[in-house]
Amino acid sequence: MLKAAVVGVNNIGKNHCRAYQQNKDVQLVAVCDLNRDLAVTVGQEFGVKAFTDIKTMFEKEEIDVVSIATGGQEKGSHHYEPAMIAMEAGKDVLVEKPLSNKIEEAGELVEYARKKGVRLACNLNHRFVPVAYRAKELINDGSLGTLLFVNMKLTIGNPIESSPWIHMRALHPHSIDVMRYFAGNIKRVQSFMTKAPDRTVWSTASINLEFESGAVGHLTGSYDMDNIHPIESCEVAGNKGRFIIDNVFESLSYYPHRKNEITVVRNSILTGMNGFNETFKERINKFVSEIKNNIHPSEIMGSGLDALAAQEVIEAAIRSQMENGAVIDVPKIKEQFIY
């Protein structure tokens, strides 16, 4: 049985705690947070030891896997230090997105994981759902043919005004990862962004993408919508058919060319996912399974390298907006990051 710890135990961190406790192959043994009162309260809630210092936690507890669910600016500035400490201690690590809000730190995390030979994963949970797995099978078995375009939309309501680029860096690691999961590496981007009334940040974005395969795509993202209504859709099309995923996990519709019938896969009302928070459980269960099956660090799904690649696309999109909609090449992942 794997022994797990969670560092950073506000709302997202508590989701990680629940997911570990619900997994039959895991024993949650510790939580850690700089806020002593919060650490103690959450530790009591889950019946585990509480710490305020990650190094002390590793000295006193036997731990195999660590979730880093700290926050910070653009939801990522507090990830780097605890993730590096955990990897230095030889732990497999799951980091909330983004790996860091600074692309240089994200690259250092991926490189250090390669050097230490540990598994570094990212909570890119939107692709860890049954309908996404089935959609990937449609691509792999040739049902779509040669991919031609990918259209993605991810919109929520988020009033945070902490930095000009929080919408891109905090939200769209998910969007870009889903697009890359289905269509591969992205070659270049062009972005146009706007600010909703009374907002100071670039809160809505329209981004054109070209994939290395030659396929094209588009991402519409916003922090200015309503969370009551559907937040996400993804359409992938080839020369033999297309599919649409509605609202992350709710349904998959496959439209083959030259046939009247469509195939619809819906989330079961009785045995399926019971809400968005269960995507955390699905993602963590996959990482636990990969650790238990001794999957090589280079082969894990939603890896640190995947997260870094998504962040490179985001930084290119930000640069495009800063350069008045210029077309920007996405840097290729450097060879030192490859296992």
Side-chain angles (χ1 to χ4, degrees), residues 125-161:
N125 51 312
H126 289 223
R127 70 150 108 161
F128 290 89
V129 294
V131 293
Y133 298 149
R134 181 70 185 98
K136 184 70 169 179
E137 290 175 1
L138 291 172
I139 294 173
N140 291 343
D141 69 17
S143 296
L144 268 63
T146 299
L147 296 191
L148 300 175
F149 69 80
V150 182
N151 289 329
M152 184 85 188
K153 181 194 77 171
L154 176 53
T155 62
I156 64 173
N158 191 327
I160 294 177
E161 297 274 310

Side-chain angles (χ1 to χ4, degrees), residues 5-239:
V6 176
V7 179
V9 288
N10 272 310
N11 291 333
I12 298 298
K14 289 173 71 174
N15 282 337
H16 285 246
C17 291
R18 293 188 192 97
Y20 285 124
Q21 278 205 332
Q22 292 170 4
N23 189 301
K24 63 180 178 59
D25 292 320
V26 178
Q27 179 186 3
L28 180 69
V29 297
V31 296
C32 182
D33 199 287
L34 293 176
N35 182 329
R36 179 180 296 276
D37 290 341
L38 178 62
V40 170
T41 298
V42 175
Q44 291 174 344
E45 178 180 349
F46 289 96
V48 300
K49 294 181 180 179
F51 296 87
T52 58
D53 179 76
I54 187 173
K55 291 183 179 179
T56 301
M57 180 178 72
F58 290 147
E59 289 172 359
K60 293 184 176 295
E61 296 295 322
E62 181 182 338
I63 295 168
D64 302 300
V65 57
V66 183
S67 275
I68 306 298
T70 49
Q73 187 178 27
E74 296 167 331
K75 303 295 184 180
S77 64
H78 295 168
H79 293 167
Y80 176 81
E81 183 176 358
M84 290 291 280
I85 292 171
M87 290 190 292
E88 183 180 14
K91 314 303 180 183
D92 289 323
V93 181
L94 174 64
V95 181
E96 269 297 328
K97 56 78 200 167
L99 288 180
S100 169
N101 67 320
K102 297 178 181 178
I103 195 70
E104 298 83 7
E105 288 185 351
E108 288 178 21
L109 287 169
V110 175
E111 164 61 9
Y112 194 62
R114 185 203 63 78
K115 179 181 177 180
K116 294 291 291 185
V118 299
R119 298 172 185 87
L120 174 64
C122 187
N123 185 32
L124 301 167
N125 51 312
H126 289 223
R127 70 150 108 161
F128 290 89
V129 294
V131 293
Y133 298 149
R134 181 70 185 98
K136 184 70 169 179
E137 290 175 1
L138 291 172
I139 294 173
N140 291 343
D141 69 17
S143 296
L144 268 63
T146 299
L147 296 191
L148 300 175
F149 69 80
V150 182
N151 289 329
M152 184 85 188
K153 181 194 77 171
L154 176 53
T155 62
I156 64 173
N158 191 327
I160 294 177
E161 297 274 310
S162 59
S163 74
W165 310 112
I166 185 170
H167 166 228
M168 292 302 303
R169 290 181 177 140
L171 180 63
H172 291 297
H174 289 308
S175 314
I176 299 300
D177 179 69
V178 169
M179 298 179 85
R180 290 187 68 256
Y181 177 58
F182 290 134
N185 289 329
I186 295 166
K187 182 178 180 181
R188 55 183 183 160
V189 301
Q190 179 189 37
S191 63
F192 303 95
M193 303 182 193
T194 192
K195 300 174 182 178
D198 301 319
R199 298 211 68 163
T200 63
V201 305
W202 298 106
S203 54
T204 291
S206 173
I207 303 171
N208 297 317
L209 308 99
E210 180 185 14
F211 293 83
E212 287 184 358
S213 67
V216 295
H218 186 265
L219 168 62
T220 299
S222 182
Y223 261 181
D224 303 312
M225 297 298 105
D226 193 314
N227 295 340
I228 297 173
H229 303 298
I231 65 168
E232 182 174 312
S233 66
C234 181
E235 179 183 24
V236 181
N239 65 335

